[in-house]
Each structure stands twice: as C-alpha cells, then as structure tokens.
Amino acid sequence: MWKGPRSFAKRLLDQVELTGTLPVGSAAVFAGFVVADPLLLTWVGPGRELSQWYVAGLVLIAVTTVIGVLVRPSSSGWVIGMCMINLMALGLMRTVPESMIEVCFALPALYLANRFAMSGTVIASVAVVPAVLLPTWLIAEHPPGDAVSVVMSILLVVAVSLHVGVGEEVRRTVRAKLIDARRLQEGILNSVEVGLAVVGRDGAWKALNPRQLELGALAYPRGSIGRVGQHGFIYAEDGVSALDPDQMPSARAFRGEEFAGVLIWVGEDPETRRALHSSSRVLRNAQGKFESAVVAYADVTTLLDAIRVRDDFVNSVSHELRTPLTSILGYAEVACDDDATPEVMRSSLKRVQRNADRLNRLVGDLLDTNQQQNGLALVTGRVDLSSVVALSVTYADEATSAADLDLVVERNDPIWVEADALRLEQVLTNLISNAVKYTPAGGRVAISLTRTDDQAVLTVADTGVGIAAEDLQAVFNRFYRARNVQEGHIAGVGLGLAIVHQIVTAHGGDIDVESAVGIGSTFRVRLPLAEPTD
C-alpha cells in the first residue's frame, strides 16, 4: 500500500546498513535507475548517439558508486560531496532532450534528507537548482520549452526532500525524547530499593531491575528459567510452608490478578530468609486484553523483625507489671476498707488505687493487642446486642455526667448476634470512652443500635475534636494517635481503637469512621446477625 514519499524513501534508503555514500542496496537501486535511462534511449531511438556530456555523467555516477561500495567513506563531508557529484552528473545527462533522467534527481536528494534531516533538505534543494540548469548553461541551443521540465524537476526534489527531511527531523526529536525518557526511567528503576519485575503475555520476564535480580538470586540460587511458574525457595506468610508455583505473586499477576500487601518469604536458609511485601498491577492493550503485569517486591524483613521485638518486649513488660500491680491494688483495697485507716490516708490510698487501676487497664490492653495479633480467642454464643448496649450505657452514665456531656441512646430490642458478650462490651466501652475523652464539656455522645437484613449496626457519634482526613486511614493502627490529639495533650497511648478493630474483625464484622476536625466523629460497627432459632 502506498503511504507517501516518506514511506517510499525509507523503504528505498533503509534496505541495508549504511556503508558509504549510500547504503549498498540504495546505491544499487540508484545505479539501476540511471542505467535504465540509456537503455530506454537506445530502444526508443536505435542508433542514437549519446552526447559527450551524457556519457561524462554516466562515468561520474559509476565512479562515485564504486567509491561508495569499495572505499566506503563515512564522514559527512564525503557523503554530501558525492551526493552533490551525483546530482551534477544527472544534470549532465539531461543534455539529451529525450532523457527521462529527471526522476533520478529525487534519489540523492532523498538520501541527503534522510541522512541529515532538515540540513540535508536544504543542501539538496540548493544543489538541485544548478544541477537541473546545467544543460542550459552547457548547450546554448538547449530547447527553450524545456523550462517547464526544469521547474518541475526542481519542485519535485524540493517537495519530496522537504517531506522526508521534516519527517526525519520529527523522528529524531521524538527518538531523542524517548531515549531521555528511557534513561530517566532506567535511572529511577535502578535506584529504588523495591524489586520490580514485568511479566509478558507469554509468562516470560520482560524486565527486571537490579534489586529484583538480587531478590531473585535468593529465590532461585541455582538460576532462573526467566519465566513464571518455576519452583524455588519461596514460602508463604508463615515463612515455613513452601508456596506452590501457581500461588506465587508472579503467577497470580500473569493470570491478570491485581493485589497488594501479599507477604512471602524467599531464601534457602531460614536464618537469612527475607520477607517481601508484593503487589501487582496489570497493563492491558486498547482491546482490554492482558499485555503485561508489573510486580513489585518490597523487603520488609527489618520491619517485621522490629515488630516482633516490640511485641516480645511489650508482652514481657506487661506480664512483669501485672503481678506488682495486682499486689498494689489488693493492699490498697484492704487498707481502704480497714476502719483503723485515718481518713486523710484513706483519700491518698484511693488516689493510689485509681492510678494503679488505670495502669492495670493499660497493661491489660497491651496484653490484649499481643494476644489478638496471634489470634483472638472468643467465647461465643447467642448475645442480645441491645442488652450489651444497655449495660455499657449504665457504666457510661457516670463518665458522661462528670464530663458535662449529654448521652443519647437509641436501640431496638432485641438484636441477636453470635458473639463473645464480654468482648463486645469491651468494644462499646472503648468507643464510648474515646467519645467522652475527646468531646469538650457541653457536647453530646449519641449511641444507636439498628439492624439491616443481615447485619446489626452499632453507631457511636460525638461532637468532639474530630480527626483530620490524613489520619483517618491509620486510626485503627496500634499506638497511633492523631496529630491534633497529640497537640492537645489528651492522655492515651493509641490502643483502644486498635483493640476495637481486632475484636470486630474477629467476629466477622467491620468498622469504619467518618470525622471532621472541630465537628466530631462517628464510628459504625457492623456485625453479622445470628441465625434465627426455631
């Protein structure tokens, strides 16, 4: 299919590698066109005598062609000079009026435009003018009517070379930008500490950055086959169970799955095994079909080691604190109940008792979070969630009154769930305690319990200080405290909401929060309803 002069020129000029004045293939095409002209002249007019200028032009073209093939000059000056000689030689061949050599003027001009872009176009456009006018200068009796063919020859060369030159200039500009973009991309990929791998449509690795090559050497110390599905030293989240090849992140990505936060371990030696957080994003073509997938592997071994050390420390310290705290609380209670204890001393002991009780609850929260990290033990049964709300509200009345807050309760009786009643009471107590703690005097705490077709919905809303949008995603993390809370010097260690989230999740439910700074927060707990009894 014809796609214009540029397409034709590229097919003509890019046949083989550049070796001299013209690529060898293009030189052969050029020589073929030139040789065809005297053959046609002889065939049209048998016995026709070619002029000496015509023969000189043929000789010049033959010489430059031989030099281009044998000597292979490569400098720009040689190339331009020999193309100019070819143009002048074609001009000499125009001294025979019946010659059709005009069509060959485009070939050196096309090559100049293709080789030097717009600079080549300018050179060709300037050089073709004297080349085409050469017969008129050499032969005074050259037919005047030939002026039309002169103009047409010049315009043809200028138009075609301009088209090719502009296209080549654009191509070079785009290519330079693509090279710069690729270098920038490679610089970024090679500098990040995340392993990146691209899986192609055939399951083979299309690209791997240096970090991924290092991680891959751990997984496949004996060498990789370069595609997904290879058995290696890759283990599941527990770091012990070998991962089936079809469950590896790369295999899942190849099947078109997108995921994030999948934890795997790699390495033959358990002592040096590394933990990797993997994620995948699929790239599809215009038709929506799988084209490739990018899999990222982040080494989180150090983070997991730090978390394990922290948990061990918290667990150890919590157990060590519990025994003396129990003793302090016991002795303080006995002393307070003793009639012989002076009233002044009794007041001090009650203060000790309150602070020791607060510290004991904190230790309990620490132990709870560690227990829940390793799997929360639940004692479940049919529980009327409305009764849990009623009991928690009874405990909350004193706290809300002391804080000068209005407590509003709305509930439906009964709503049955399959749950651990004590744990649900802990959920509601923590949510109410947070609402009271973060709501200024004169505010309101509202508790409501409703149901949908398959869920119980427990809502605790307040008119407190609220939570900033950037903190909402992290409020259920352990030890996390919002920035405005820290700046307000409100007491707490950031465990209450983490415990709530873990308990709700263990019950198969979910919790979310809506909040705005200065307006308040609304927490919603959704739990599956219990199966109806006969």
Side-chain angles (χ1 to χ4, degrees):
M1 182 182 295
W2 173 253
K3 297 182 180 178
R6 168 138 182 94
S7 175
F8 173 75
K10 290 296 292 180
R11 289 198 301 272
L12 188 65
L13 297 173
D14 293 340
Q15 296 177 52
V16 292
E17 184 179 2
L18 180 67
T19 57
T21 307
L22 294 172
V24 175
S26 298
V29 172
F30 177 64
F33 271 99
V34 172
V35 170
D37 189 66
L39 294 177
L40 287 173
L41 287 174
T42 304
W43 178 68
V44 170
R48 175 183 296 279
E49 182 178 349
L50 302 177
S51 72
Q52 59 180 351
W53 300 114
Y54 189 97
V55 174
L58 278 175
V59 171
L60 279 175
I61 291 173
V63 170
T64 56
T65 302
V66 170
I67 293 175
V69 172
L70 299 181
V71 181
R72 300 182 181 181
S74 58
S75 69
S76 297
W78 268 92
V79 171
I80 294 172
M82 297 181 78
C83 283
M84 299 278 283
I85 291 173
N86 282 335
L87 286 172
M88 293 305 170
L90 293 173
L92 292 175
M93 294 175 69
R94 286 192 72 252
T95 55
V96 176
E98 294 83 358
S99 173
M100 300 294 292
I101 203 66
E102 282 90 347
V103 297
C104 293
F105 276 102
L107 295 178
L110 282 173
Y111 182 74
L112 286 170
N114 187 71
R115 174 74 183 270
F116 302 105
M118 286 303 297
S119 298
T121 297
V122 173
I123 293 170
S125 300
V126 171
V128 76
V129 175
V132 172
L133 292 174
L134 195 58
T136 305
W137 297 337
L138 294 175
I139 305 174
E141 63 273 14
H142 197 74
D146 199 47
V148 175
S149 68
V150 168
V151 174
M152 292 301 296
S153 297
I154 294 173
L155 289 180
L156 175 65
V157 170
V158 171
V160 173
S161 63
L162 181 63
H163 182 84
V164 173
V166 170
E168 182 64 18
E169 194 74 37
V170 171
R171 187 188 71 82
R172 293 185 181 188
T173 302
V174 171
R175 184 172 178 270
K177 290 183 178 180
L178 288 175
I179 290 174
D180 290 342
R182 179 174 294 179
R183 286 174 179 168
L184 176 62
Q185 183 184 55
E186 289 177 352
I188 294 172
L189 293 179
N190 294 341
S191 63
V192 297
E193 283 300 311
V194 176
L196 295 173
V198 181
V199 185
R201 285 182 294 180
D202 56 355
W205 298 116
K206 293 178 63 177
L208 300 168
N209 74 338
R211 181 56 177 154
Q212 181 57 29
L213 291 174
E214 295 175 8
L215 298 174
L218 290 174
Y220 308 109
R222 294 165 184 78
S224 170
I225 62 174
R227 59 181 303 107
V228 301
Q230 180 180 355
H231 286 276
F233 297 100
I234 304 176
Y235 302 89
E237 187 173 351
D238 60 8
V240 177
S241 306
L243 204 61
D244 290 335
D246 63 342
Q247 291 302 313
M248 294 177 185
S250 56
R252 293 176 57 184
F254 178 56
R255 293 197 296 269
E257 294 184 38
E258 291 191 339
F259 52 84
V262 174
L263 183 65
I264 62 171
W265 292 77
V266 297
E268 183 175 6
D269 185 359
E271 296 298 322
T272 59
R273 201 163 285 166
R274 309 297 295 178
L276 305 180
H277 239 213
S278 62
S279 59
S280 166
R281 289 296 177 269
V282 175
L283 306 177
R284 303 184 185 278
N285 58 23
Q287 290 73 39
K289 295 182 179 179
F290 179 90
E291 186 68 29
S292 60
V294 180
V295 188
Y297 298 90
D299 190 336
V300 294
T301 311
T302 304
L303 175 61
L304 292 184
D305 287 343
I307 291 174
R308 184 173 62 251
V309 170
R310 183 196 67 184
D311 290 346
D312 291 344
F313 172 77
V314 168
N315 199 46
S316 176
V317 170
S318 299
H319 278 98
E320 291 297 324
L321 286 174
R322 174 146 286 186
T323 300
L325 279 173
T326 302
S327 179
I328 292 171
L329 285 169
Y331 279 111
E333 186 177 356
V334 170
C336 284
D337 292 340
D338 191 344
D339 293 336
T341 302
E343 190 61 34
V344 175
M345 184 67 70
R346 198 187 306 276
S347 175
S348 298
L349 286 172
K350 286 183 177 180
R351 188 173 300 168
V352 169
Q353 196 173 12
R354 284 196 303 271
N355 283 285
D357 187 56
R358 179 185 171 194
L359 185 56
N360 194 44
R361 287 197 303 271
L362 176 58
V363 170
D365 286 347
L366 289 171
L367 289 172
D368 273 345
T369 55
N370 267 23
Q371 177 190 0
Q372 291 160 21
Q373 285 293 106
N374 300 317
L376 182 63
L378 300 176
V379 181
T380 60
R382 284 179 63 83
V383 177
D384 178 9
L385 193 53
S386 183
S387 65
V388 175
V389 172
L391 183 61
S392 299
V393 167
T394 301
Y395 295 149
D397 273 336
E398 183 179 349
T400 52
S401 297
D404 190 22
L405 301 175
D406 289 333
L407 180 62
V408 180
V409 181
E410 178 185 344
R411 65 181 188 273
N412 296 322
D413 294 323
I415 296 179
W416 296 94
V417 293
E418 190 72 25
D420 185 324
L422 292 178
R423 291 296 186 183
L424 290 187
E425 183 183 331
Q426 187 178 6
V427 167
L428 191 52
T429 300
N430 279 359
L431 290 177
I432 295 174
S433 174
N434 265 15
V436 171
K437 184 188 298 184
Y438 300 124
T439 302
R444 186 182 70 163
V445 176
I447 303 168
S448 66
L449 178 62
T450 58
R451 62 177 295 167
T452 63
D453 291 339
D454 58 352
Q455 286 184 322
V457 182
L458 175 63
T459 304
V460 177
D462 63 62
T463 57
V465 296
I467 305 168
E470 60 269 21
D471 292 319
L472 284 177
Q473 297 298 321
V475 292
F476 298 113
N477 295 344
R478 290 195 296 169
F479 304 107
Y480 185 85
R481 305 190 72 222
R483 188 176 306 163
N484 60 331
V485 170
Q486 297 179 49
E487 293 171 352
H489 303 290
I490 301 174
V493 293
L495 287 175
L497 290 178
I499 293 171
V500 167
H501 182 268
Q502 290 164 341
I503 293 174
V504 171
T505 303
H507 282 84
D510 63 82
I511 180 171
D512 60 59
V513 57
E514 295 176 4
S515 187
V517 175
I519 296 177
S521 304
T522 300
F523 289 85
R524 289 187 183 84
V525 175
R526 297 177 179 84
L527 297 169
L529 294 174
E531 295 291 333
T533 56
D534 295 332

